[in-house]
């Protein structure tokens, strides 16, 4: 009888501790996701708010499908160039790319920010660069491009639908707003997602009307 009672008590205590540990782990994961989501969205927003739409300026958004969801690619020119070394020469403009890379261990995505000084007339060569890691544990990252009229697009190319200007130059066609959505997960097999989203209004000078 004593052994039976002892077993019941141990089972009850173990169940309580197990629930406590699960809640603690979930809380820690949510806090970590919240921190990465906040930092990532602030960085992406700051870059997009400084979008450069002058000669040679571009914005290209490509929809990609990954193992756990969308893994979109975003490339654009911006005045938000970051200098990390005293040896590096400061530049007014930069070509910025947000790209993902699969983490083979977790099956989730890492998000990288590539920042290369922009010089008009030079070829864009970012394919071999990784940049710096902005966040990981991503199941999905998606961009939505909203026109001035409210229509949403899953992809965008500013070189399409440009407007002819005096002097023969072409003004790029840019969206009015971009929505960024990050989906974090504890593992590739986990169905639950922690989602963070923001919408960034692009500078007024970049908005044009598609013919």
């Amino acid at each position: 009888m004593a052994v039976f009672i002892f077993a019941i008590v141990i089972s009850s205590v173990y169940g309580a501790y197990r629930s406590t540990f699960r809640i603690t782990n979930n809380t820690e994961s949510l806090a970590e996701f919240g921190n990465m989501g906040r930092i990532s969205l602030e960085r992406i927003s700051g870059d997009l708010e400084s979008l450069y739409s002058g000669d040679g300026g571009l914005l290209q958004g490509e929809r990609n499908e990954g193992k756990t969801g969308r893994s979109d690619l975003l490339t654009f020119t911006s005045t938000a160039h970051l200098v990390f070394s005293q040896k590096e020469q400061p530049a007014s403009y930069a070509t910025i790319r947000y790209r993902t890379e699969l983490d083979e261990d977790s099956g989730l995505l890492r998000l990288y920010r590539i920042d290369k000084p922009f010089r008009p007339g030079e070829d864009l060569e970012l394919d071999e660069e990784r940049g710096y890691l902005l966040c990981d544990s991503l199941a999905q990252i998606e961009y939505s491009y909203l026109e001035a009229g409210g229509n949403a697009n899953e992809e965008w190319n500013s070189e399409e639908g440009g407007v002819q200007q005096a002097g023969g130059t072409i003004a790029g066609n840019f969206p009015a707003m971009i929505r960024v959505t990050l989906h974090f997960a504890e593992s590739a097999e986990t169905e639950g997602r922690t989602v963070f989203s923001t919408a960034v209004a692009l500078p007024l000078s970049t908005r044009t009307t598609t013919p």
Side-chain angles (χ1 to χ4, degrees):
M1 182 63 71
V3 173
F4 177 71
I5 295 174
F6 179 75
I8 294 177
V9 172
I10 291 298
S11 298
S12 300
V13 173
Y14 175 75
Y17 272 110
R18 185 177 180 182
S19 298
T20 301
F21 289 143
R22 183 170 60 251
I23 293 172
T24 300
N25 291 334
N26 290 340
T27 302
E28 291 177 351
S29 296
L30 288 175
E32 183 179 1
F33 294 159
N35 188 47
M36 289 193 295
R38 176 183 58 80
I39 293 174
S40 300
L41 291 180
E42 285 181 355
R43 182 67 267 164
I44 297 173
S45 297
D47 290 341
L48 287 172
E49 288 170 353
S50 301
L51 183 81
Y52 169 71
S53 60
D55 292 340
L58 62 85
L59 187 149
Q60 295 176 343
E62 178 183 340
R63 171 171 176 157
N64 292 319
E65 292 294 339
K67 292 183 178 180
T68 56
R70 286 171 58 176
S71 56
D72 294 355
L73 178 70
L74 178 62
T75 305
F76 57 95
T77 49
S78 173
T79 60
H81 175 58
L82 301 180
V83 178
F84 294 102
S85 172
Q86 294 181 351
K87 297 179 180 180
E88 182 180 350
Q89 294 295 325
S92 299
Y93 308 111
T95 299
I96 295 175
R97 171 172 290 174
Y98 284 95
R99 60 176 291 271
T100 59
E101 183 179 278
L102 180 65
D103 184 341
E104 297 292 347
D105 294 331
S106 67
L108 297 172
L109 300 171
R110 300 189 185 104
L111 177 63
Y112 289 91
R113 178 185 186 272
I114 303 171
D115 180 345
K116 185 175 182 180
F118 165 71
R119 297 177 180 85
E122 289 189 352
D123 293 333
L124 183 63
E125 298 180 358
L126 297 176
D127 293 339
E128 301 301 322
E129 298 193 27
R130 171 175 285 183
Y132 75 84
L133 180 64
L134 195 60
C135 69
D136 55 15
S137 300
L138 276 176
Q140 180 169 299
I141 176 171
E142 56 185 286
Y143 305 97
S144 179
Y145 308 90
L146 283 72
E147 301 174 6
N151 295 327
N153 302 271
E154 295 182 343
E155 294 187 310
W156 195 276
N157 186 347
S158 62
E159 295 179 347
E160 298 178 356
V163 176
Q164 189 82 27
Q165 294 183 321
T169 60
I170 302 294
N173 178 34
F174 294 85
M177 182 177 293
I178 298 179
R179 181 175 297 280
V180 186
T181 306
L182 307 176
H183 300 249
F184 290 92
E186 294 185 5
S187 70
E189 291 75 27
T190 304
E191 293 184 1
R193 300 285 188 266
T194 303
V195 182
F196 299 91
S197 182
T198 189
V200 183
L202 301 186
L204 289 173
S205 60
T206 67
R207 300 182 189 176
T208 61
T209 302
T210 304

